[in-house]
Amino acid sequence: MKDFRMFCDKYGGAIIGFLIGVGLSIILFYTNLYKILMSLALIIACIWLGNYIQINKESVKEKTKKFIDKL
């Protein structure tokens, strides 16, 4: 019993997160909301990438040039 309590204390948040994630994925799959959420995630990722490139222009140019030179 003590080992089980230690296991729950250590991994309780992960177990609850897993159960919530499975429940949300089932809801999203059956209502086709996953398509909308995937589109929003893609848009947010592109916004983040564009902002990162704008802020770090020089380092991105150098990394891109090094990558192209390797090819």
Side-chain angles (χ1 to χ4, degrees):
M1 188 67 176
K2 185 178 180 182
D3 292 333
F4 180 70
R5 184 166 181 86
M6 288 175 52
F7 177 80
C8 288
D9 286 342
K10 188 172 184 179
Y11 299 110
I15 294 169
I16 292 170
F18 172 77
L19 294 174
I20 291 172
V22 168
L24 284 175
S25 65
I26 290 171
I27 290 170
L28 293 175
F29 181 74
Y30 283 113
T31 59
N32 288 329
L33 285 175
Y34 69 94
K35 293 178 184 176
I36 295 170
L37 292 179
M38 291 299 289
S39 298
L40 289 174
L42 181 63
I43 291 169
I44 291 170
C46 290
I47 290 170
W48 177 82
L49 182 65
N51 189 39
Y52 176 80
I53 291 172
Q54 182 180 5
I55 292 172
N56 302 308
K57 285 181 189 176
E58 294 303 318
S59 65
V60 171
K61 283 181 186 178
E62 290 175 18
K63 290 177 185 178
T64 305
K65 186 175 180 179
K66 287 180 184 179
F67 178 73
I68 292 173
D69 289 340
K70 285 182 183 179
L71 295 177

